[in-house]
Amino acid sequence: MTVTIVGSQLGDEGKGGVVDLYGDAADVVARYQGGDNAGHTVVYDGEKYKLSLVPSGAVRGKVGVLGNGCVVNPETLFSEIDGLRERGLEPDVRVAERAHAILPYHCVLDGIEEDAKDGLAAGTTKRGIGPTYEDKAGRRGVRIGDLLDPETLRTRLEYVVPQKQALAEEVFGIETGEEFDVEYLYDTCLEYGERLAEEEMTVDAGTFLQERIDAGENVMLEGAQGTSIDIDHGVYPYVTSSNPTAGGACVGTGLGPTVVGSGDVIGIVKAYLSRVGTGPLPTELGGVEGQTPAYEGGDDSPEEELATYIRNEGGEYGTVTGRPRRVGWLDMPMLRHAARASGFTGLAINHIDVLAGLEEVEVGHAYEFDGEEIFTVPPTTEKWGRCEAIYRTFEGWDEVDWRAVAEEGYDAIPDNAQTYLEYIADELDTPIYAIGVGPAREETIVLENPFDA
Ligand code: IMP
């Protein structure tokens, strides 16, 4: 069977921890979209591993697959694998031959296009994600399978690289270097291909995964980023260039929707909001310069203080970029939209410990939009920017020994926090499978393990 993990907000909901937890019962963990823009930290045997591309299950001896919907920077892939090997692990990572390769010119273009966007920049991670998906859709990409085929590789590079060079030099006016040199790229790509072949890493992802499922194995499909930065269902254009929603799990692995739909689809929810990047955020507290629209620096208002408190308690600084994240109250219209778009069968709610100690906790229950009350996210980002949150106030809960709570189980969670959790589950009409009360694995209360069902 499959279990699909989907971020229900803006990324950084704590998906890694849930994948890690349920991944114990999985034989294979496959990513279906994104690339090395996704930062996840896995704590295993007291050691911390920071990964951005390799599926986190690979740390625990699972087979890790990068599906065809991923964009793969071979440099990152090899350096993460080498890093794990240096620490005594033997990661088994497979890469779809249909996945697209992020090449050096994509990374250069990501930076200069963002700088040129002025006002429309998404605040990307500058890992070349958007330019690579652009080339995929424009039918001029280089796929992982091409790296193993010198003749095809040369044809592809000779076609695309001069176009990219002209774009960089003539449209953006920059001087280009080896990143835009066909011969340099050809040699580099051949080296990538040789290593992929030597280590027998490439697969036809759909066939590989289906065979494992047919053999009775458990497959976890690990989404990166979150619903509100999905290219179709998010705050376009301030989005990533792929589909973190559950439909992406089919297209991005080669498994059919009936296969994915016959398993569980778990929405990962952070108990408040955090966001790296630009675009509207109706429940935002305070702001972050360069990311919050029209924000020109903080003051010492109670709202800014609260934002700083939550940011520090929650460690809300980007795993990949180190940037401070914007923070806000939980946004129910955003969650209703996510639950519908992915058809969640269960929820994992994280970080309720971060809100402990606050007198009151607010939730954006609905929006006021042009004088009307609405309960989900409007379809255009401009309309979303005009929404004002209508809040519900919950009584806060005290700081407690969360490890002890995790050991004792659900009933040990402070009553007010239980009320908050039950409100979320009721509004989304979806049961809670797990509650995260701290960063470590032992700090999660598991109510349901989908692989046991
Ligand atoms: P890109 O994915 O690097 O193209 O960035 C596009 C947008 O998605 C930016 O606003 C990024 O901050 C955001 N983003 C990309 N990956 C992540 C992630 O893993 N967590 C949170 N935000 C992300």
Coordinates of all heavy atoms in Angstrom, one line a residue, residues 316-408:
E316 N 12.0 29.3 13.6 CA 11.5 29.5 12.2 C 12.5 30.3 11.4 O 12.3 31.5 11.0 CB 10.2 30.3 12.3 CG 9.1 29.5 13.0 CD 8.7 28.2 12.2 OE1 9.2 28.0 11.1 OE2 8.0 27.3 12.8
Y317 N 13.6 29.6 11.0 CA 14.6 30.1 10.1 C 14.8 29.0 9.1 O 14.9 27.8 9.4 CB 15.9 30.4 10.9 CG 15.7 31.5 11.9 CD1 15.2 31.3 13.2 CD2 15.9 32.9 11.5 CE1 15.0 32.3 14.1 CE2 15.6 33.9 12.4 CZ 15.2 33.6 13.7 OH 14.9 34.6 14.6
G318 N 14.9 29.4 7.8 CA 14.9 28.4 6.7 C 16.0 27.4 6.8 O 17.2 27.7 7.1
T319 N 15.7 26.1 6.6 CA 16.7 25.0 6.7 C 17.7 25.1 5.5 O 18.9 24.9 5.7 CB 16.0 23.6 6.5 OG1 14.8 23.6 7.2 CG2 16.8 22.5 7.1
V320 N 17.2 25.5 4.4 CA 18.1 25.6 3.2 C 18.8 27.0 3.1 O 20.0 27.1 2.9 CB 17.3 25.4 1.9 CG1 18.1 25.6 0.7 CG2 16.7 24.0 1.8
T321 N 18.0 28.1 3.4 CA 18.6 29.4 3.2 C 18.9 30.1 4.5 O 19.6 31.1 4.4 CB 17.5 30.3 2.4 OG1 16.3 30.3 3.3 CG2 17.1 29.7 1.1
G322 N 18.4 29.7 5.6 CA 18.7 30.4 6.9 C 17.9 31.7 7.0 O 18.0 32.4 8.0
R323 N 17.0 32.0 6.1 CA 16.3 33.2 6.2 C 15.2 33.1 7.3 O 14.6 32.1 7.5 CB 15.5 33.5 4.9 CG 16.4 33.8 3.7 CD 15.5 34.0 2.5 NE 14.9 32.8 1.9 CZ 14.2 32.8 0.8 NH1 13.9 33.9 0.1 NH2 13.7 31.7 0.3
P324 N 15.0 34.3 8.0 CA 13.9 34.3 9.0 C 12.6 34.0 8.3 O 12.4 34.6 7.2 CB 13.9 35.6 9.6 CG 14.8 36.5 8.8 CD 15.6 35.6 7.9
R325 N 11.7 33.2 8.9 CA 10.4 33.0 8.2 C 9.4 33.9 8.7 O 9.4 34.3 9.9 CB 10.0 31.5 8.5 CG 10.9 30.5 7.9 CD 10.4 29.1 8.3 NE 11.3 28.1 7.8 CZ 11.6 26.9 8.4 NH1 11.0 26.6 9.5 NH2 12.4 26.1 7.9
R326 N 8.4 34.3 7.9 CA 7.3 35.0 8.3 C 6.4 34.1 9.2 O 6.4 32.9 8.9 CB 6.5 35.5 7.1 CG 7.3 36.4 6.2 CD 6.7 36.5 4.8 NE 5.4 37.1 4.7 CZ 4.6 37.2 3.7 NH1 5.0 36.6 2.6 NH2 3.5 37.8 3.7
V327 N 5.7 34.6 10.2 CA 4.9 33.7 11.0 C 3.5 34.3 11.1 O 3.3 35.6 11.0 CB 5.5 33.5 12.4 CG1 6.8 32.7 12.3 CG2 5.7 34.8 13.2
G328 N 2.5 33.5 11.4 CA 1.2 34.0 11.6 C 0.3 32.9 12.3 O 0.8 31.8 12.6
W329 N -0.9 33.3 12.6 CA -1.8 32.4 13.2 C -2.3 31.3 12.2 O -2.3 31.6 11.0 CB -3.1 33.1 13.8 CG -2.8 34.0 14.9 CD1 -3.1 35.4 14.9 CD2 -2.3 33.7 16.2 NE1 -2.8 35.9 16.1 CE2 -2.3 34.9 16.9 CE3 -1.8 32.6 16.8 CZ2 -1.8 35.0 18.2 CZ3 -1.3 32.6 18.1 CH2 -1.3 33.8 18.8
L330 N -2.8 30.2 12.7 CA -3.4 29.2 11.8 C -4.4 29.8 10.9 O -5.2 30.6 11.4 CB -4.0 28.1 12.7 CG -4.3 26.8 12.0 CD1 -3.0 26.0 11.7 CD2 -5.2 25.9 12.9
D331 N -4.5 29.4 9.7 CA -5.4 29.9 8.7 C -6.3 28.8 8.2 O -5.9 27.9 7.4 CB -4.6 30.5 7.6 CG -5.4 31.2 6.5 OD1 -6.5 30.7 6.2 OD2 -4.9 32.2 6.0
M332 N -7.6 28.8 8.7 CA -8.5 27.7 8.4 C -8.9 27.7 6.9 O -9.0 26.6 6.3 CB -9.7 27.6 9.3 CG -9.4 27.2 10.7 SD -8.4 25.7 10.9 CE -9.6 24.5 10.2
P333 N -9.2 28.8 6.3 CA -9.5 28.8 4.8 C -8.4 28.1 4.0 O -8.7 27.3 3.1 CB -9.6 30.2 4.4 CG -10.1 30.9 5.7 CD -9.4 30.2 6.8
M334 N -7.1 28.3 4.4 CA -6.0 27.7 3.7 C -6.1 26.2 3.9 O -5.8 25.4 3.0 CB -4.7 28.3 4.3 CG -3.5 27.9 3.6 SD -2.0 28.4 4.5 CE -1.8 30.0 4.0
L335 N -6.4 25.8 5.1 CA -6.4 24.3 5.4 C -7.6 23.6 4.7 O -7.5 22.5 4.3 CB -6.5 24.1 6.9 CG -5.2 24.3 7.7 CD1 -5.4 24.0 9.2 CD2 -4.1 23.5 7.1
R336 N -8.8 24.3 4.7 CA -10.0 23.7 4.0 C -9.6 23.5 2.5 O -10.0 22.5 1.9 CB -11.2 24.6 4.2 CG -11.7 24.7 5.6 CD -13.0 25.5 5.7 NE -13.3 25.8 7.1 CZ -13.1 27.0 7.6 NH1 -12.7 28.0 6.9 NH2 -13.3 27.2 8.9
H337 N -9.0 24.5 2.0 CA -8.5 24.4 0.6 C -7.6 23.2 0.4 O -7.8 22.4 -0.6 CB -7.8 25.7 0.2 CG -7.2 25.8 -1.1 ND1 -7.9 25.8 -2.3 CD2 -5.9 25.9 -1.4 CE1 -7.0 25.9 -3.3 NE2 -5.8 26.0 -2.8
A338 N -6.7 23.0 1.3 CA -5.7 22.0 1.2 C -6.3 20.6 1.3 O -6.0 19.7 0.6 CB -4.6 22.1 2.2
A339 N -7.3 20.5 2.3 CA -7.9 19.2 2.6 C -8.7 18.8 1.3 O -8.7 17.6 1.0 CB -8.8 19.3 3.8
R340 N -9.4 19.7 0.7 CA -10.1 19.4 -0.5 C -9.2 19.0 -1.7 O -9.4 18.0 -2.3 CB -11.0 20.6 -0.9 CG -12.1 20.2 -1.9 CD -12.4 21.3 -2.9 NE -11.3 21.7 -3.7 CZ -10.6 22.8 -3.6 NH1 -10.9 23.7 -2.6 NH2 -9.5 23.0 -4.3
A341 N -8.2 19.9 -1.9 CA -7.3 19.6 -3.1 C -6.6 18.3 -3.0 O -6.4 17.7 -4.1 CB -6.3 20.8 -3.2
S342 N -6.3 17.8 -1.8 CA -5.6 16.5 -1.7 C -6.4 15.4 -1.2 O -6.0 14.2 -1.2 CB -4.3 16.7 -0.8 OG -3.3 17.4 -1.5
G343 N -7.6 15.7 -0.7 CA -8.5 14.6 -0.2 C -7.8 13.9 1.0 O -7.7 12.7 1.0
F344 N -7.5 14.7 2.0 CA -6.8 14.1 3.2 C -7.7 13.0 3.8 O -8.9 13.2 4.0 CB -6.5 15.2 4.2 CG -5.5 16.2 3.8 CD1 -5.6 17.5 4.4 CD2 -4.5 16.0 2.9 CE1 -4.7 18.5 4.0 CE2 -3.6 16.9 2.5 CZ -3.7 18.2 3.1
T345 N -7.0 11.9 4.2 CA -7.7 10.9 5.0 C -7.3 11.0 6.5 O -7.9 10.4 7.3 CB -7.4 9.5 4.5 OG1 -6.0 9.3 4.5 CG2 -7.9 9.3 3.0
G346 N -6.2 11.7 6.7 CA -5.7 11.9 8.1 C -4.9 13.1 8.2 O -4.5 13.7 7.2
L347 N -4.7 13.6 9.5 CA -3.9 14.8 9.7 C -2.8 14.5 10.7 O -3.0 13.7 11.7 CB -4.8 15.9 10.4 CG -6.0 16.4 9.6 CD1 -6.8 17.3 10.5 CD2 -5.6 17.1 8.3
A348 N -1.7 15.1 10.5 CA -0.7 15.1 11.6 C -0.5 16.6 11.9 O -0.2 17.4 11.0 CB 0.6 14.5 11.1
I349 N -0.7 16.9 13.2 CA -0.6 18.4 13.6 C 0.6 18.5 14.5 O 0.8 17.9 15.5 CB -1.9 18.8 14.4 CG1 -3.1 18.5 13.5 CG2 -1.8 20.3 14.7 CD1 -4.5 18.8 14.1
N350 N 1.5 19.4 14.0 CA 2.8 19.6 14.7 C 2.9 20.9 15.4 O 2.2 21.8 15.2 CB 3.9 19.6 13.6 CG 4.2 18.2 13.1 OD1 4.2 17.3 13.8 ND2 4.4 18.1 11.8
H351 N 3.9 20.9 16.3 CA 4.4 22.2 16.9 C 3.4 22.8 17.9 O 3.4 24.0 18.1 CB 4.7 23.2 15.9 CG 5.9 23.0 15.1 ND1 6.2 21.8 14.5 CD2 7.0 23.8 14.8 CE1 7.4 21.9 13.9 NE2 7.9 23.1 14.1
I352 N 2.5 22.0 18.5 CA 1.6 22.6 19.5 C 2.3 23.1 20.7 O 1.9 24.0 21.4 CB 0.3 21.8 19.9 CG1 0.8 20.5 20.5 CG2 -0.6 21.5 18.7 CD1 -0.3 19.9 21.3
D353 N 3.5 22.5 20.9 CA 4.3 22.9 22.1 C 4.9 24.4 21.9 O 5.1 25.1 22.8 CB 5.5 22.0 22.2 CG 6.3 21.9 20.9 OD1 5.7 21.5 19.9 OD2 7.5 22.1 20.9
V354 N 5.0 24.8 20.6 CA 5.6 26.1 20.3 C 4.6 27.2 20.9 O 5.1 28.3 21.3 CB 5.9 26.3 18.8 CG1 6.2 27.7 18.5 CG2 7.0 25.3 18.4
L355 N 3.3 26.9 20.8 CA 2.3 27.9 21.2 C 2.1 27.9 22.7 O 1.4 28.8 23.3 CB 1.0 27.7 20.5 CG 1.1 27.8 19.0 CD1 -0.3 27.5 18.4 CD2 1.5 29.2 18.5
A356 N 2.7 27.0 23.4 CA 2.5 26.9 24.9 C 3.0 28.1 25.6 O 4.0 28.7 25.2 CB 3.2 25.6 25.4
G357 N 2.3 28.6 26.6 CA 2.7 29.7 27.4 C 2.0 31.0 26.9 O 2.1 32.0 27.6
L358 N 1.3 31.0 25.8 CA 0.6 32.1 25.3 C -0.8 32.2 26.1 O -1.4 31.1 26.3 CB 0.3 32.1 23.8 CG 1.6 32.1 22.9 CD1 1.1 32.0 21.5 CD2 2.4 33.4 23.1
E359 N -1.2 33.4 26.4 CA -2.5 33.5 27.1 C -3.6 33.1 26.2 O -4.6 32.4 26.7 CB -2.6 34.9 27.6 CG -3.2 35.1 29.0 CD -2.9 36.5 29.5 OE1 -1.8 36.7 30.0 OE2 -3.8 37.3 29.3
E360 N -3.6 33.6 25.0 CA -4.6 33.2 24.0 C -4.0 32.8 22.7 O -2.9 33.3 22.3 CB -5.5 34.5 23.8 CG -6.4 34.8 24.9 CD -7.2 36.0 24.7 OE1 -6.9 36.9 23.8 OE2 -8.3 36.2 25.3
V361 N -4.7 32.0 22.0 CA -4.2 31.6 20.7 C -5.3 31.9 19.7 O -6.5 31.5 19.9 CB -3.9 30.0 20.7 CG1 -3.6 29.6 19.3 CG2 -2.8 29.7 21.6
E362 N -5.0 32.6 18.6 CA -6.0 33.0 17.7 C -5.9 32.1 16.4 O -4.9 31.5 16.1 CB -5.8 34.4 17.2 CG -5.7 35.4 18.4 CD -6.7 36.5 18.3 OE1 -7.8 36.2 17.9 OE2 -6.3 37.6 18.6
V363 N -7.1 32.0 15.8 CA -7.1 31.2 14.5 C -7.9 32.0 13.5 O -9.0 32.6 13.8 CB -7.9 29.9 14.7 CG1 -8.1 29.2 13.4 CG2 -7.1 29.0 15.6
G364 N -7.4 32.1 12.3 CA -8.2 32.8 11.2 C -9.2 31.7 10.8 O -8.9 30.8 10.1
H365 N -10.5 31.9 11.3 CA -11.5 30.9 11.0 C -12.1 31.1 9.6 O -12.5 30.1 9.0 CB -12.6 31.1 12.1 CG -13.8 30.2 11.9 ND1 -13.7 28.8 12.1 CD2 -15.0 30.4 11.4 CE1 -14.9 28.3 11.8 NE2 -15.7 29.2 11.4
A366 N -12.2 32.3 9.2 CA -12.8 32.6 7.9 C -12.2 33.9 7.4 O -11.3 34.5 8.1 CB -14.3 32.8 8.0
Y367 N -12.5 34.3 6.2 CA -12.0 35.6 5.7 C -13.2 36.5 5.4 O -14.3 36.1 5.0 CB -11.3 35.5 4.3 CG -10.1 34.7 4.3 CD1 -9.7 34.0 3.1 CD2 -9.1 34.7 5.4 CE1 -8.5 33.3 3.0 CE2 -8.0 34.0 5.3 CZ -7.7 33.3 4.1 OH -6.5 32.6 4.0
E368 N -12.9 37.8 5.6 CA -13.9 38.8 5.0 C -13.3 39.2 3.7 O -12.2 39.7 3.6 CB -14.0 40.0 6.0 CG -15.2 40.8 5.5 CD -15.2 42.2 6.1 OE1 -15.1 42.3 7.4 OE2 -15.4 43.2 5.4
F369 N -14.1 39.0 2.6 CA -13.7 39.4 1.3 C -14.7 40.2 0.6 O -15.9 39.8 0.4 CB -13.4 38.1 0.5 CG -13.1 38.3 -0.9 CD1 -11.9 39.0 -1.3 CD2 -14.0 37.9 -1.9 CE1 -11.7 39.2 -2.6 CE2 -13.7 38.2 -3.3 CZ -12.5 38.8 -3.6
D370 N -14.4 41.5 0.4 CA -15.3 42.4 -0.2 C -16.7 42.4 0.5 O -17.7 42.3 -0.2 CB -15.5 42.1 -1.7 CG -14.2 42.5 -2.5 OD1 -13.3 43.1 -1.9 OD2 -14.2 42.2 -3.7
G371 N -16.6 42.4 1.8 CA -17.9 42.5 2.6 C -18.6 41.2 2.8 O -19.6 41.1 3.5
E372 N -18.0 40.1 2.3 CA -18.6 38.8 2.4 C -17.8 37.9 3.3 O -16.5 38.0 3.3 CB -18.7 38.1 1.1 CG -20.1 38.0 0.5 CD -20.1 37.2 -0.8 OE1 -19.9 36.0 -0.8 OE2 -20.2 37.9 -1.8
E373 N -18.4 36.9 4.0 CA -17.6 36.0 4.8 C -17.4 34.7 3.9 O -18.3 34.1 3.4 CB -18.4 35.6 6.0 CG -17.6 34.8 7.0 CD -18.4 34.5 8.3 OE1 -19.6 34.4 8.2 OE2 -17.8 34.3 9.4
I374 N -16.1 34.4 3.7 CA -15.8 33.2 2.9 C -14.9 32.2 3.7 O -14.2 32.6 4.7 CB -15.1 33.5 1.6 CG1 -13.8 34.2 1.8 CG2 -16.0 34.3 0.7 CD1 -12.9 34.4 0.5
F375 N -15.0 30.9 3.4 CA -14.4 29.9 4.2 C -13.2 29.1 3.5 O -12.6 28.3 4.1 CB -15.5 28.9 4.7 CG -16.4 29.5 5.6 CD1 -17.6 30.2 5.1 CD2 -16.2 29.6 7.0 CE1 -18.5 30.8 6.0 CE2 -17.0 30.2 7.8 CZ -18.2 30.9 7.3
T376 N -13.0 29.5 2.3 CA -11.8 28.9 1.6 C -11.1 30.0 0.9 O -11.4 31.2 0.9 CB -12.3 27.7 0.7 OG1 -11.1 27.0 0.3 CG2 -13.1 28.1 -0.5
V377 N -10.0 29.6 0.2 CA -9.1 30.6 -0.4 C -9.6 31.0 -1.8 O -10.0 30.1 -2.5 CB -7.7 29.9 -0.5 CG1 -6.7 30.8 -1.3 CG2 -7.1 29.6 0.8
P378 N -9.7 32.3 -2.0 CA -10.2 32.7 -3.4 C -9.1 32.3 -4.4 O -8.0 32.1 -4.2 CB -10.3 34.2 -3.3 CG -9.4 34.6 -2.1 CD -9.3 33.4 -1.2
P379 N -9.6 32.2 -5.7 CA -8.7 31.6 -6.7 C -7.6 32.5 -7.2 O -6.7 32.0 -7.8 CB -9.7 31.2 -7.9 CG -10.9 32.0 -7.6 CD -11.0 32.2 -6.2
T380 N -7.7 33.8 -7.1 CA -6.6 34.6 -7.5 C -5.8 35.2 -6.3 O -6.4 35.4 -5.3 CB -6.9 35.8 -8.5 OG1 -7.5 36.8 -7.7 CG2 -7.9 35.3 -9.6
T381 N -4.6 35.4 -6.5 CA -3.7 35.8 -5.4 C -4.1 37.3 -5.1 O -4.0 37.7 -3.9 CB -2.2 35.7 -5.8 OG1 -2.1 34.3 -6.1 CG2 -1.3 36.1 -4.7
E382 N -4.5 38.1 -6.0 CA -4.9 39.5 -5.8 C -6.1 39.5 -4.9 O -6.2 40.3 -4.0 CB -5.2 40.2 -7.1 CG -4.0 40.4 -8.0 CD -3.3 39.1 -8.5 OE1 -4.0 38.1 -8.8 OE2 -2.1 39.1 -8.6
K383 N -7.0 38.6 -5.2 CA -8.2 38.5 -4.3 C -7.8 38.0 -2.9 O -8.3 38.5 -1.9 CB -9.3 37.5 -4.8 CG -10.0 38.1 -6.1 CD -11.0 37.1 -6.6 CE -11.6 37.6 -7.9 NZ -12.4 36.6 -8.6
W384 N -6.9 37.1 -2.8 CA -6.4 36.6 -1.5 C -5.8 37.7 -0.7 O -6.0 37.8 0.5 CB -5.4 35.4 -1.7 CG -5.4 34.5 -0.6 CD1 -6.4 34.0 0.1 CD2 -4.2 33.9 -0.1 NE1 -6.0 33.1 1.1 CE2 -4.6 33.0 1.0 CE3 -2.9 33.9 -0.4 CZ2 -3.7 32.2 1.7 CZ3 -2.0 33.1 0.3 CH2 -2.4 32.3 1.4
G385 N -5.1 38.6 -1.4 CA -4.4 39.7 -0.8 C -5.4 40.7 -0.2 O -5.1 41.5 0.7
R386 N -6.7 40.7 -0.7 CA -7.7 41.6 -0.1 C -8.5 41.0 1.0 O -9.4 41.6 1.6 CB -8.7 41.9 -1.3 CG -8.1 42.7 -2.5 CD -9.1 43.7 -3.1 NE -10.3 43.1 -3.5 CZ -10.5 42.5 -4.8 NH1 -9.5 42.5 -5.6 NH2 -11.7 42.1 -5.1
C387 N -8.2 39.7 1.3 CA -9.0 39.1 2.4 C -8.4 39.5 3.8 O -7.2 39.6 4.0 CB -8.8 37.5 2.3 SG -9.6 36.8 0.9
E388 N -9.4 39.7 4.7 CA -9.0 40.0 6.1 C -9.5 38.8 6.9 O -10.6 38.3 6.7 CB -9.8 41.2 6.6 CG -9.6 42.5 5.8 CD -8.6 43.4 6.5 OE1 -8.2 43.1 7.6 OE2 -8.1 44.3 5.8
A389 N -8.6 38.4 7.8 CA -8.9 37.2 8.6 C -10.0 37.6 9.6 O -10.0 38.6 10.2 CB -7.7 36.7 9.3
I390 N -11.0 36.6 9.8 CA -12.0 36.7 10.9 C -11.5 35.7 11.9 O -11.4 34.5 11.6 CB -13.4 36.4 10.4 CG1 -13.8 37.4 9.3 CG2 -14.4 36.5 11.5 CD1 -15.1 37.0 8.6
Y391 N -11.2 36.2 13.1 CA -10.5 35.3 14.1 C -11.5 34.7 15.1 O -12.5 35.2 15.4 CB -9.5 36.2 14.9 CG -8.3 36.5 14.0 CD1 -8.1 37.8 13.5 CD2 -7.3 35.6 13.8 CE1 -7.0 38.2 12.7 CE2 -6.2 36.0 13.0 CZ -6.1 37.2 12.5 OH -5.0 37.6 11.7
R392 N -11.0 33.5 15.5 CA -11.6 32.9 16.7 C -10.5 32.8 17.8 O -9.4 32.5 17.4 CB -12.1 31.5 16.4 CG -13.4 31.4 15.8 CD -14.1 30.1 16.1 NE -15.3 30.1 15.3 CZ -16.1 29.1 15.1 NH1 -15.7 27.9 15.6 NH2 -17.2 29.2 14.4
T393 N -10.9 33.0 19.0 CA -9.9 33.0 20.0 C -10.0 31.8 20.9 O -11.1 31.4 21.3 CB -10.0 34.3 20.9 OG1 -10.0 35.4 20.0 CG2 -8.9 34.4 21.9
F394 N -8.9 31.1 21.1 CA -8.9 30.0 22.0 C -8.0 30.3 23.3 O -7.1 31.1 23.2 CB -8.2 28.8 21.3 CG -9.1 28.2 20.2 CD1 -9.1 28.9 19.0 CD2 -9.8 27.1 20.4 CE1 -9.9 28.4 17.9 CE2 -10.6 26.6 19.4 CZ -10.7 27.2 18.2
E395 N -8.4 29.7 24.4 CA -7.6 29.9 25.6 C -6.3 29.2 25.4 O -6.3 28.1 24.9 CB -8.3 29.4 26.8 CG -9.3 30.4 27.3 CD -10.1 29.8 28.5 OE1 -9.4 29.3 29.4 OE2 -11.3 29.9 28.5
G396 N -5.2 29.8 25.9 CA -3.9 29.2 25.7 C -3.7 28.0 26.6 O -4.5 27.7 27.5
W397 N -2.5 27.4 26.5 CA -2.2 26.2 27.3 C -0.8 26.4 27.9 O 0.0 27.1 27.3 CB -2.3 24.9 26.6 CG -1.6 24.9 25.2 CD1 -0.4 24.5 24.9 CD2 -2.3 25.2 24.0 NE1 -0.2 24.6 23.6 CE2 -1.3 25.0 23.0 CE3 -3.5 25.7 23.6 CZ2 -1.6 25.3 21.6 CZ3 -3.8 26.0 22.3 CH2 -2.8 25.8 21.3
D398 N -0.5 25.9 29.0 CA 0.7 26.1 29.7 C 1.9 25.2 29.1 O 1.6 24.2 28.5 CB 0.6 25.7 31.2 CG -0.3 26.7 31.9 OD1 -0.4 27.8 31.5 OD2 -0.9 26.3 33.0
E399 N 3.1 25.7 29.4 CA 4.3 24.9 29.0 C 4.3 23.7 30.0 O 4.0 23.9 31.2 CB 5.5 25.8 29.3 CG 6.8 25.3 28.8 CD 6.8 25.1 27.3 OE1 6.9 26.0 26.5 OE2 6.8 23.9 26.9
V400 N 4.4 22.5 29.4 CA 4.5 21.3 30.3 C 5.7 20.5 29.9 O 6.4 20.9 28.9 CB 3.2 20.5 30.1 CG1 2.0 21.2 30.7 CG2 2.9 20.2 28.6
D401 N 5.9 19.4 30.5 CA 6.9 18.5 30.1 C 6.4 17.7 28.9 O 5.7 16.7 29.1 CB 7.3 17.6 31.3 CG 8.4 16.6 30.9 OD1 8.7 16.4 29.7 OD2 8.9 15.9 31.8
W402 N 6.7 18.1 27.7 CA 6.1 17.5 26.5 C 6.6 16.1 26.3 O 5.9 15.3 25.7 CB 6.4 18.4 25.3 CG 5.7 19.7 25.4 CD1 6.2 20.9 25.7 CD2 4.3 20.0 25.2 NE1 5.2 21.9 25.7 CE2 4.0 21.3 25.4 CE3 3.2 19.1 24.9 CZ2 2.8 21.9 25.3 CZ3 1.9 19.7 24.7 CH2 1.7 21.1 25.0
R403 N 7.8 15.8 26.7 CA 8.3 14.4 26.6 C 7.4 13.5 27.4 O 7.0 12.4 26.9 CB 9.7 14.3 27.0 CG 10.6 13.9 25.9 CD 12.0 13.9 26.2 NE 12.7 14.4 25.1 CZ 13.4 13.6 24.2 NH1 13.4 12.3 24.4 NH2 14.0 14.1 23.1
A404 N 7.1 13.9 28.6 CA 6.2 13.1 29.5 C 4.8 13.0 28.8 O 4.2 11.9 28.8 CB 6.1 13.7 30.8
V405 N 4.3 14.1 28.3 CA 3.0 14.1 27.6 C 3.0 13.1 26.5 O 2.1 12.3 26.3 CB 2.7 15.5 27.0 CG1 1.5 15.5 26.1 CG2 2.4 16.5 28.2
A406 N 4.1 13.1 25.7 CA 4.2 12.2 24.5 C 4.2 10.7 25.0 O 3.6 9.9 24.4 CB 5.5 12.5 23.7
E407 N 4.8 10.5 26.1 CA 4.8 9.1 26.7 C 3.5 8.7 27.1 O 3.0 7.6 26.9 CB 5.8 9.1 27.9 CG 7.0 8.2 27.6 CD 8.0 8.4 28.7 OE1 7.8 8.1 29.8 OE2 9.1 8.9 28.3
E408 N 2.7 9.6 27.8 CA 1.4 9.3 28.3 C 0.3 9.2 27.3 O -0.6 8.5 27.4 CB 1.0 10.3 29.4 CG 1.7 10.0 30.7 CD 1.3 11.1 31.7 OE1 0.1 11.3 32.0 OE2 2.2 11.8 32.3

